[in-house]
Amino acid sequence: MGDQREKTVSGSIARTIFGAILPNQDKPFGAAGAVGLLWNKLPRILNMARSRMRSDLRHGVLDYEPIHLHISPAELNPFLDDKLASAAALTTEFALGVTATGQPPAMPGMQPQRLALESFRFLMDQVPAIRTIEFSGRNRDPLENRDLVKMVDYAHKFNGAEITLVTDGLLLQPYTEDLLKSRLHALVIRFQAHRPSAYAAMSGQPLSGFVKILENTEHLLKRKQALKSMLEVELSMMVDIHHYRQIPEMIRFAETLGVDGIRFENYVSPDPAKKSDKTLYSHQANVKQYLDDLKNTVIKSSRLLVTLPVLMDLDMSGHRHCLEAYGTVSVDAEFNVSGCSRQLMLPEKNGKIWEEDFFNNGMYQWLRSIHNAKQEPCNTPVPLACQSCPRNMPSSR
């Protein structure tokens, strides 16, 4: 049990090296698997070390490529204004090829669509160093994109990337067989809570949504067992000051379902300018003690990989701990890039995935000027969004 717990802890660390949700890569298996794990980890380890050595020496300009891709393949902005309409129209044009200059051909009048498979292939050509991929959405479920499973298989075939899909679970059933037979590494289902009433309170969705997600998950797990699929299935739950003591019940719920792990997310205000009294904070001694006790009791005896919520600091105006700008590129369905997987800034400021050296554009350099502990003094203020983000908490926590 002790050895297994060490692997569980290291798995949590591996998934948050760049503040992104990465697949657990520390499940014990044979010697060949161990070699594969080392190969997948090596780029992250090297890039992380190089970023810390070079970022403050070269003003945030890095001489390597991103290795984690976060992509929202089903998202569109339905309120595009004239200024952005021409850029948005490029999405469908990628399916037709690119010109000698690297720009997609102009096709006036075409409407933006969800990311197509051919477009995804072009995207992968722009980021050949990618080792881990997360498909998730801010407002739309990735499974709304019918090409998703094909993208998963293509990415794995392209360079062996390990791929995680984060879904709300409502659209799972039609894709169950394809997902279980695909090269998907991990599936994270956003249950939000373990009871219908709590689900409605946390998600703002009808009670019937919980019933649908539960049915879809039970069906998937039954088929997983029948097919002897190696897909790792985890649940994601939201906890706040009113619900964190229900964590043991949520773990038991996950164990009964038969999943492989459960992740707990700390509730944060949807408005970064406002703090919420529902958020779990590091100065709350009773919360810290409760979570510490769980590590030595319920979690220690559980067979699941359990990731506890990250406690926030009340004042994060001086926090400069996020590593996403040093290893992650986030891309939406219109090929806007961002150094933050939690939000995309205005597209005209971010640039596009096909632009030369996008990983060192002004937006990336700006983020690195903020999240650079070695830079003394740092005159760039920490944005409000970063002051309410769990990925901007010290990794030692």
Side-chain angles (χ1 to χ4, degrees):
M1 177 63 72
D3 290 341
Q4 177 62 39
R5 186 55 45 195
E6 290 178 2
K7 290 182 173 63
T8 298
V9 172
S10 63
S12 300
I13 295 172
R15 289 189 312 194
T16 56
I17 283 181
F18 287 113
I21 299 177
L22 303 180
N24 172 39
Q25 301 185 30
D26 294 278
K27 294 282 185 178
F29 49 85
V35 173
L37 291 183
L38 178 60
W39 175 254
N40 280 329
K41 286 181 179 181
L42 188 59
R44 284 208 303 277
I45 296 170
L46 292 177
N47 282 347
M48 188 173 178
R50 293 172 73 184
S51 71
R52 296 201 169 186
M53 289 188 296
R54 294 177 180 269
S55 59
D56 56 333
L57 300 177
R58 301 185 59 196
H59 308 289
V61 177
L62 305 179
D63 60 359
Y64 59 85
E65 298 177 342
I67 55 171
H68 177 64
L69 170 65
H70 170 269
I71 184 167
S72 303
E75 299 214 13
L76 293 175
N77 181 353
F79 304 108
L80 294 169
D81 57 27
D82 293 338
K83 188 175 182 180
L84 301 181
S86 60
L90 298 179
T91 304
T92 53
E93 296 163 11
F94 269 94
L96 305 176
V98 294
T99 66
T101 62
Q103 294 291 329
M107 293 290 288
M110 295 189 71
Q111 298 299 314
Q113 299 178 0
R114 293 181 179 89
L115 186 66
L117 178 60
E118 289 301 320
S119 305
F120 179 75
R121 289 173 177 166
F122 177 86
L123 187 159
M124 292 300 294
D125 286 339
Q126 314 312 306
V127 286
I130 290 299
R131 303 302 302 165
T132 55
I133 301 175
E134 177 194 319
F135 288 96
S136 64
R138 298 169 181 83
N139 303 307
R140 307 291 290 271
D141 193 292
L143 288 174
E144 291 185 37
N145 190 311
R146 296 181 180 179
D147 284 337
L148 180 66
V149 176
K150 295 178 181 177
M151 293 179 192
V152 168
D153 287 337
Y154 177 81
H156 188 275
K157 182 179 179 180
F158 181 79
N159 66 358
E162 288 198 355
I163 305 161
T164 297
L165 167 63
V166 183
T167 174
D168 62 21
L170 292 170
L171 301 176
L172 264 179
Q173 188 150 337
Y175 296 97
T176 293
E177 299 294 318
D178 289 340
L179 288 173
L180 289 172
K181 295 175 183 177
S182 74
R183 304 308 296 265
L184 186 66
H185 179 78
L187 175 68
V188 181
I189 305 172
R190 286 175 170 154
F191 257 79
Q192 305 291 12
H194 63 306
R195 292 197 299 264
S197 58
Y199 167 82
M202 285 294 188
S203 67
Q205 301 299 315
L207 297 174
S208 58
F210 178 88
V211 177
K212 181 66 174 176
I213 298 170
L214 181 58
E215 290 176 349
N216 289 348
T217 303
E218 289 176 334
H219 174 69
L220 179 134
L221 292 170
K222 182 178 180 180
R223 292 301 299 151
K224 176 190 173 184
Q225 184 176 19
L227 295 171
K228 295 181 172 55
S229 169
M230 297 300 292
L231 176 66
E232 294 185 4
V233 180
E234 297 186 50
L235 306 186
S236 175
M237 300 285 191
M238 184 76 70
V239 291
D240 59 18
I241 195 65
H242 305 296
H243 297 90
Y244 74 93
R245 289 185 177 274
Q246 296 179 18
I247 287 178
E249 296 176 32
M250 295 178 179
I251 293 176
R252 286 193 290 271
F253 170 79
E255 289 174 334
T256 301
L257 272 180
V259 297
D260 302 293
I262 183 168
R263 307 176 181 188
F264 293 99
E265 305 289 339
N266 190 356
Y267 176 87
V268 295
S269 171
D271 182 356
K274 298 180 180 178
K275 295 186 181 299
S276 173
D277 57 5
K278 294 171 61 177
T279 300
L280 301 174
Y281 290 103
S282 59
H283 71 275
Q284 296 167 327
N286 57 328
V287 176
K288 289 188 67 174
Q289 185 61 53
Y290 184 80
L291 296 181
D292 286 341
D293 290 344
L294 284 182
K295 295 176 185 178
N296 297 317
T297 54
V298 176
I299 294 176
K300 188 174 183 179
S301 61
S302 176
R303 66 169 183 80
L304 301 181
L305 171 65
V306 178
T307 305
L308 289 173
V310 176
L311 302 184
M312 306 291 288
D313 287 342
L314 195 60
D315 181 9
M316 295 177 58
S317 59
H319 280 33
R320 303 177 183 276
H321 306 295
C322 183
L323 292 173
E324 284 212 344
Y326 294 94
T328 293
V329 57
S330 186
V331 185
D332 66 6
E334 294 164 8
F335 284 88
N336 301 305
V337 300
S338 174
C340 173
S341 63
R342 291 175 66 93
Q343 62 177 348
L344 282 172
M345 303 164 202
L346 293 178
E348 63 266 31
K349 293 184 179 180
N350 284 23
K352 299 290 186 177
I353 193 68
W354 64 80
E355 293 176 357
E356 185 177 1
D357 202 22
F358 70 84
F359 196 46
N360 286 309
N361 67 17
M363 178 268 301
Y364 267 100
Q365 291 189 49
W366 172 69
L367 283 173
R368 291 168 194 150
S369 73
I370 296 166
H371 298 286
N372 191 334
K374 290 187 177 182
Q375 185 170 319
E376 296 289 348
C378 183
N379 298 319
T380 308
V382 179
L384 289 175
C386 298
Q387 293 186 38
S388 58
C389 178
R391 294 177 186 171
N392 192 21
M393 286 296 294
S395 58
S396 58
R397 302 287 182 87

